[in-house]
Amino acid sequence: MRRFIMRVAVAATALAGALFLFACSSAVYVVESDDPFESAWNDYTLGEFDRATEKFEALRAGAVVGGDEWCKAVYGLATTWNLRRPGEDTKKATAYYEELIQGAPTHDLAVWSRLALARMKHLVPVGETPDYGEVRKAYRDVMALHPGHLAAQEAFLYLQSTLISSLDPAQTKQALEALEKAVADPEYQFVGPAWSLIAVGSQTLGDMERRLHAEEMSLKTTEVDPTNPFTEYSWQYWNLATIAEFDVGDFEKARYYYQKLIEEYPQDIRVYGARQALMRMDDLEMKIRAEM
Amino acid sequence: MKALWYFIKSYFAILVVGLVYAWSAGAILVYRNRQTPPDAVVLRIGHWQLEASVRDAINEMAERYREVHPNVYVVQDAIPEGVYGQWVSTQLLGGTAPDIVQVGAMLPPNIWLSYYNRYFIPLSREVNRPNPYNKSTELEGTALRQTYKDGMRTAYVDEMQEYMSIPLSQFGVRIFYNKDMLKRLTGLDEAPEDYREFLAACEKIASQKDERGNNYIPIAGSQYHFSMWDPMMFDPLTYGAVRKADFNRDGFVGNDELYTAIKTGRLSMKFPPFEAKFRMLREVTDHFQTGYTGLTRDEAVFLFAQQKAVFMTTGTWDARSLQAQAEGRFEVGVMDFPVPAPDDPYYGPIVEGRNYERPGGGFSFGITRTSKNPELALDFLLFMASQQQNEELNRVIGWIPCILGTEMDPMLEAFAPHLEGVYGAFPIWLGGETGVKWQQLYSLYQVNQISYDDFVSQFEPFYQEQGYKDFLEQQRDWRRGMHQNERFLAGIRARALASEGDDATSAWVKYRALTTSRQIWAELGHNRQMRLIDQGPDLDAVGPYEYSPAILKKIRARIKKEK
């Protein structure tokens, strides 16, 4: 009996100690938001996919089918199952995206869901090659069903990039025609990258003057992210300068961009190369003049 | 009594643990109370700098800060490097982390990224405001990030699009030397920065014996120290390969470009700049102590401190401790890495100048979300990042201040980074079997067991044959990056969709900018790389930095017209 009482006393003391330690410990900070959607997306961003899924599922269960909250919950759920690594379930993701498209076909997130389905066709698992015919068809569907929507504009850009990436002259020509129309459209929101794709396509086709012009336009139309102070143009300056120097032979333009690189980015790694280039062009011109 | 004895006997282990715990808790409480008065506001700062000068400098800053905020006390948790990762993880996970925590190393970058996300307060808003402690200086009214020598670049976390820390110092690598020994053994007052003169000094040192009859060692080396000699001195000699193999003209030679250049015969390991790198490596490391590749950092430092070696390369982080070890025994000098003269018969045509060094801040601190006084923690960091205090902080530590307009210890002036210079262009690493072969042969070459000719004859054919396979293996995962970007972008898009007004405009700009930079080019870049590897460059065409006949004709026509 005495032994039993002793053991109970020890257990009680240990429990009291544990409770004391627990009380002494600080509260663990957990990133939580009052907005349940923000909270679920925070979990997604932090890689807490199980928690994100639970929260989106709970939100979906409590929402009216087809309503705004329901759409947001289903879209979050689909995105999490689509992009979580590890543990992705593309079948579930597809089913949720399709459920959203059917349940609220006019909702903004239905458009993003269509783009996500197209992206799933494009971003195949490591080691596999996408069926580019299917990928392009999916992008075209987004563009056709939701013309002007940002998701459709993004689909257009991806579609053209698949054609340009093929490095095939015929497909490149086709993409360049479409891209030239897009950059002329004041409503198109990805103008800078579209010009960049035109530049790359022009290089494939050997049209260096057009490439230089397109790269300059891309620089002029680059969108600056206001929260990222490091929007760097040093690479673009270098690229333009070397195209002008070696592919077009426009030394004036080459000097202009090398000089801009040196002046605006004096700590850039390519400054040495830029100074060498300035000297190289001077030397060449001097040599040619001497020969004449 | 018997019952008590029985109780102690039965629960001895538990009682010991309990007593030790109680004693530890009591000791900590007493210790903490001694450090700070009962009503004080305590800021805890955790870091891995065990150098005495760092702790002294932070204490000095705390005292100065107390002159402005009399009730604020700073308590340091200085944790050894070896366990810092575990310590900071348990503190953050347990919600008991200090208010201010040193960040950015001792854990893999992806772990820091997740910790920044969960446990640290973003500082973007604050870094765009002036530092109030810069009042009455030329930096008054300047946004904090613009008061940094590097624009606070290292504090910006690209993946989060936020500033997450406040750096307090800059670092650099140079050669330290024993001035007294150099004078005694070579007659030189200053270490020679001309390469040949440096080698001659090393030879003179190696030819002399100490009182025990052992030869002096010119350079204290180890594998740790070699990793500094290579990028600072040997690798920049290979810069000339940029003109031959930078096929996409981005200014760098990629491992795909180097492989293609060697495979197609445009370059070989006998390319003079490559040979020069290995020749210099041999000439310099011949003056390290025998077997340096198997030695650790401490063993080399020991040789230097015991005055058995004259030169040793290391960074600003060791400057003060080396000075302290030398105090009263010898004077420590700092020199830049020696460079061959332009008229050097061998290196002259190859060497183009000093190596490029990217300036960047370190000794960075973040503020934890569990901090009871986050505003005060930020204020203390701003205090240390002000022009006057940053200079003093780094003066006491012996490091380089990172704020504009600050002065540094004259000894550290040699650490001023070379902002213009050349860089390595020999990325031979393809992993896989060629990687293993490279490591084996390179190790043998380092310890002088094979000649460069043997190295080349054994490695180059193997590299040409196996390199393609290894390159493909390395490329297998290129799509994995696209998946990760897609996940990241979905989060940014969700934030943009949920925001309104100016926030929405900004979020969508960010989304479009990131979509472009991260998802459009990967496929194109991969296809171009594969084409280059499969088909090689057009061997009839001119090099990437040469003028084609058509361009030359155009330039001639233009100049003729100008006349």
Side-chain angles (χ1 to χ4, degrees):
Chain A
M1 187 61 185
R2 187 184 282 178
R3 189 175 289 181
F4 175 73
I5 293 168
M6 203 72 92
R7 289 209 169 143
V8 170
V10 168
T13 312
L15 186 64
L19 287 171
F20 173 73
L21 286 177
F22 181 74
C24 287
S25 68
S26 311
V28 177
Y29 187 90
V30 179
V31 184
E32 280 298 353
S33 163
D34 294 338
D35 179 345
F37 286 102
E38 192 181 338
S39 171
W41 278 111
N42 273 344
D43 284 331
Y44 167 89
T45 310
L46 294 174
E48 298 285 358
F49 299 116
D50 289 338
R51 281 171 47 169
T53 309
E54 269 174 35
K55 287 178 184 175
F56 283 128
E57 264 170 359
L59 287 163
R60 175 174 168 263
V64 179
V65 176
D68 186 52
E69 302 247 311
W70 180 84
C71 290
K72 284 191 206 167
V74 176
Y75 181 72
L77 208 47
T79 306
T80 310
W81 282 117
N82 176 15
L83 298 170
R84 64 173 293 168
R85 298 288 185 281
E88 73 271 26
D89 187 333
T90 48
K91 278 186 186 160
K92 259 188 193 170
T94 307
Y96 281 127
Y97 282 131
E98 284 171 352
E99 185 184 324
L100 199 164
I101 292 165
Q102 280 169 9
T106 55
H107 195 276
D108 191 44
L109 288 174
V111 192
W112 288 108
S113 297
R114 273 191 211 283
L115 178 65
L117 288 169
R119 293 295 287 156
M120 285 170 78
K121 290 194 168 82
H122 195 172
L123 295 179
V124 293
V126 171
E128 290 178 23
T129 306
D131 178 343
Y132 281 106
E134 280 293 307
V135 171
R136 287 170 191 149
K137 185 182 172 302
Y139 285 139
R140 286 193 180 103
D141 285 349
V142 182
M143 290 155 55
L145 288 165
H146 310 282
H149 192 281
L150 185 65
Q153 298 193 6
E154 195 178 321
F156 171 82
L157 197 70
Y158 286 130
L159 169 66
Q160 305 315 323
S161 80
T162 63
L163 295 169
I164 301 262
S165 299
S166 71
L167 304 176
D168 169 62
Q171 293 190 37
T172 303
K173 268 185 199 163
Q174 188 191 333
L176 288 188
E177 279 170 24
L179 286 162
E180 294 278 7
K181 278 184 198 157
V183 294
D185 178 358
E187 299 296 313
Y188 191 62
Q189 293 189 50
F190 288 93
V191 178
W195 275 116
S196 273
L197 281 175
I198 293 174
V200 174
S202 302
Q203 186 186 9
T204 305
L205 299 178
D207 187 346
M208 294 304 179
E209 304 265 357
R210 192 182 187 195
R211 179 186 176 201
L212 181 61
H213 171 69
E215 288 289 11
E216 282 194 290
M217 290 307 295
S218 170
L219 176 69
K220 279 182 193 160
T221 53
T222 297
E223 267 195 300
V224 178
D225 171 5
T227 57
N228 179 359
F230 298 123
T231 305
E232 279 236 357
Y233 296 110
S234 60
W235 153 246
Q236 280 159 293
Y237 291 163
W238 173 265
N239 189 32
L240 280 161
T242 55
I243 295 169
E245 185 187 356
F246 295 104
D247 297 332
V248 180
D250 185 343
F251 280 12
E252 194 185 339
K253 210 163 253 182
R255 283 192 177 98
Y256 173 74
Y257 286 114
Y258 281 131
Q259 207 62 52
K260 266 179 97 68
L261 171 67
I262 293 166
E263 282 164 15
E264 290 179 28
Y265 301 98
Q267 298 186 357
D268 190 85
I269 194 168
R270 297 183 186 90
V271 165
Y272 173 79
R275 285 198 201 283
Q276 293 287 306
L278 291 172
M279 284 193 283
R280 181 171 58 224
M281 288 185 288
D282 288 348
D283 289 348
L284 180 72
E285 285 179 337
M286 216 185 313
K287 195 178 153 202
I288 292 173
R289 286 196 179 100
E291 284 169 6
M292 279 181 177
Chain B
M1 194 62 192
K2 202 176 173 185
L4 181 67
W5 172 244
Y6 179 77
F7 177 77
I8 292 171
K9 211 172 125 185
S10 305
Y11 300 103
F12 183 72
I14 295 171
L15 285 170
V16 167
V17 170
L19 281 171
V20 169
Y21 174 79
W23 179 79
S24 310
I28 289 170
L29 277 175
V30 170
Y31 174 69
R32 292 278 195 231
N33 277 336
R34 268 190 212 151
Q35 281 183 316
T36 57
D39 58 340
V41 178
V42 179
L43 276 183
R44 278 177 63 214
I45 178 166
H47 59 81
W48 64 76
Q49 311 295 159
L50 293 194
E51 302 93 327
S53 63
V54 176
R55 280 173 285 166
D56 292 346
I58 294 176
N59 284 337
E60 169 74 22
M61 287 293 109
E63 271 176 39
R64 286 179 172 217
Y65 189 68
R66 216 160 27 246
E67 288 169 14
V68 194
H69 301 272
N71 202 29
V72 179
Y73 284 77
V74 176
V75 174
Q76 297 186 55
D77 290 333
I79 309 298
E81 278 183 20
V83 293
Y84 189 80
Q86 293 95 311
W87 177 81
V88 82
S89 298
T90 50
Q91 296 290 316
L92 290 170
L93 265 64
T96 54
D99 304 87
I100 302 169
V101 167
Q102 189 175 7
V103 295
M106 309 302 154
L107 283 169
N110 60 323
I111 301 286
W112 272 121
L113 182 61
S114 68
Y115 286 177
Y116 288 146
N117 252 318
R118 286 160 205 235
Y119 305 116
F120 287 88
I121 298 173
L123 302 170
S124 300
R125 200 171 293 173
E126 280 70 24
V127 303
N128 285 306
R129 292 180 182 148
N131 183 344
Y133 293 104
N134 278 331
K135 208 173 173 188
S136 307
T137 70
E138 75 266 27
L139 300 177
E140 182 176 353
T142 308
L144 176 69
R145 67 183 172 85
Q146 285 165 344
T147 65
Y148 276 74
K149 290 176 183 170
D150 71 338
M152 222 174 165
R153 184 170 298 264
T154 47
Y156 191 72
V157 180
D158 198 35
E159 289 84 350
M160 293 176 67
Q161 306 281 297
E162 296 275 9
Y163 286 91
M164 294 306 297
S165 62
I166 295 192
L168 296 173
S169 299
Q170 274 198 329
F171 297 98
V173 171
R174 291 291 181 268
I175 299 173
F176 289 72
Y177 65 98
N178 181 325
K179 276 191 158 187
D180 300 304
M181 271 181 89
L182 184 75
K183 175 77 178 166
R184 182 157 46 87
L185 299 174
T186 67
L188 295 168
D189 290 317
E190 295 291 330
E193 291 193 8
D194 173 80
Y195 178 68
R196 294 287 172 196
E197 288 174 22
F198 175 76
L199 285 186
C202 287
E203 272 151 32
K204 206 163 180 183
I205 293 163
S207 67
Q208 296 176 64
K209 292 184 191 310
D210 62 16
E211 62 279 5
R212 289 185 180 176
N214 297 320
N215 283 85
Y216 283 107
I217 296 158
I219 304 169
S222 68
Q223 200 58 5
Y224 167 81
H225 293 93
F226 180 82
S227 67
M228 288 182 250
W229 285 95
D230 193 25
M232 298 297 290
M233 203 168 160
F234 313 144
D235 215 32
L237 288 171
T238 62
Y239 178 78
V242 169
R243 296 188 194 92
K244 298 275 180 190
D246 176 20
F247 301 116
N248 63 5
R249 273 201 315 245
D250 62 355
F252 305 96
V253 175
N255 63 354
D256 55 329
E257 289 173 321
L258 182 64
Y259 172 72
T260 308
I262 291 182
K263 174 87 178 162
T264 55
R266 191 177 272 262
L267 283 179
S268 83
M269 283 179 70
K270 290 283 188 176
F271 179 53
F274 295 163
E275 267 197 287
K277 168 189 161 127
F278 288 91
R279 181 162 164 172
M280 186 177 276
L281 185 159
R282 163 86 320 106
E283 288 170 349
V284 173
T285 58
D286 276 352
H287 295 295
F288 285 16
Q289 74 273 36
T290 311
Y292 75 92
T293 53
L295 298 180
T296 63
R297 172 188 182 176
D298 291 345
E299 286 162 306
V301 174
F302 209 49
L303 276 181
F304 185 79
Q306 286 186 324
Q307 303 198 65
K308 289 180 178 169
V310 178
F311 300 102
M312 184 179 74
T313 180
T314 189
T316 34
W317 53 90
D318 275 338
R320 192 58 90 223
S321 59
L322 283 178
Q323 269 182 330
Q325 287 183 60
E327 201 169 350
R329 298 193 299 140
F330 62 92
E331 193 184 345
V332 178
V334 182
M335 62 177 285
D336 209 335
F337 285 82
V339 176
D343 60 354
D344 186 280
Y346 178 76
Y347 293 105
I350 293 161
V351 71
E352 296 192 39
R354 289 208 172 276
N355 61 313
Y356 169 80
E357 290 174 295
R358 191 183 297 279
F363 193 36
S364 302
F365 290 90
I367 300 168
T368 53
R369 289 181 189 263
T370 43
S371 170
K372 286 177 187 150
N373 301 293
E375 293 86 7
L376 204 58
L378 174 69
D379 196 62
F380 181 58
L381 286 175
L382 290 176
F383 180 76
M384 290 196 286
S386 66
Q387 193 183 58
Q388 192 190 346
Q389 305 308 332
N390 192 254
E391 185 177 304
E392 178 60 15
L393 173 85
N394 284 286
R395 188 195 63 74
V396 178
I397 303 180
W399 290 350
I400 303 173
C402 56
I403 302 297
L404 289 166
T406 45
E407 284 180 13
M408 63 176 112
D409 187 324
M411 181 190 170
L412 297 171
E413 278 166 10
F415 285 91
H418 314 135
L419 297 178
E420 197 177 317
V422 293
Y423 42 91
F426 186 64
I428 199 85
W429 186 260
L430 289 172
E433 287 185 44
T434 54
V436 173
K437 185 91 172 168
W438 173 262
Q439 277 175 330
Q440 289 167 344
L441 293 169
Y442 190 55
S443 301
L444 290 174
Y445 182 77
Q446 270 186 297
V447 295
N448 208 5
Q449 287 192 11
I450 55 170
S451 67
Y452 188 63
D453 286 343
D454 288 342
F455 188 174
V456 174
S457 65
Q458 288 182 55
F459 182 72
E460 203 166 287
F462 187 81
Y463 175 74
Q464 287 184 356
E465 203 181 308
Q466 288 291 323
Y468 184 71
K469 202 173 122 199
D470 290 341
F471 179 77
L472 288 185
E473 192 59 34
Q474 217 179 46
Q475 284 287 302
R476 248 176 63 82
D477 284 354
W478 73 277
R479 250 182 226 285
R480 207 184 298 277
M482 286 185 81
H483 283 287
Q484 282 165 358
N485 288 338
E486 196 78 359
R487 190 182 88 197
F488 168 70
L489 280 167
I492 301 276
R493 188 194 302 131
R495 208 184 296 169
L497 285 164
S499 49
E500 289 170 358
D502 287 347
D503 283 349
T505 310
S506 166
W508 281 115
V509 169
K510 186 181 284 193
Y511 174 73
R512 287 192 294 270
L514 288 168
T515 300
T516 307
S517 63
R518 294 192 176 215
Q519 293 300 69
I520 299 295
W521 305 111
E523 203 158 25
L524 178 73
H526 171 75
N527 289 353
R528 280 179 160 179
Q529 268 189 324
M530 291 315 297
R531 175 176 277 200
L532 180 70
I533 289 275
D534 285 337
Q535 299 177 9
D538 182 358
L539 288 177
D540 296 328
V542 291
Y545 292 92
E546 290 169 21
Y547 303 109
S548 68
I551 293 296
L552 282 173
K553 194 177 163 188
K554 194 174 170 184
I555 295 163
R556 277 202 182 90
R558 195 238 315 149
I559 291 172
K560 198 175 173 184
K561 207 172 161 189
E562 283 168 6
K563 278 195 164 183

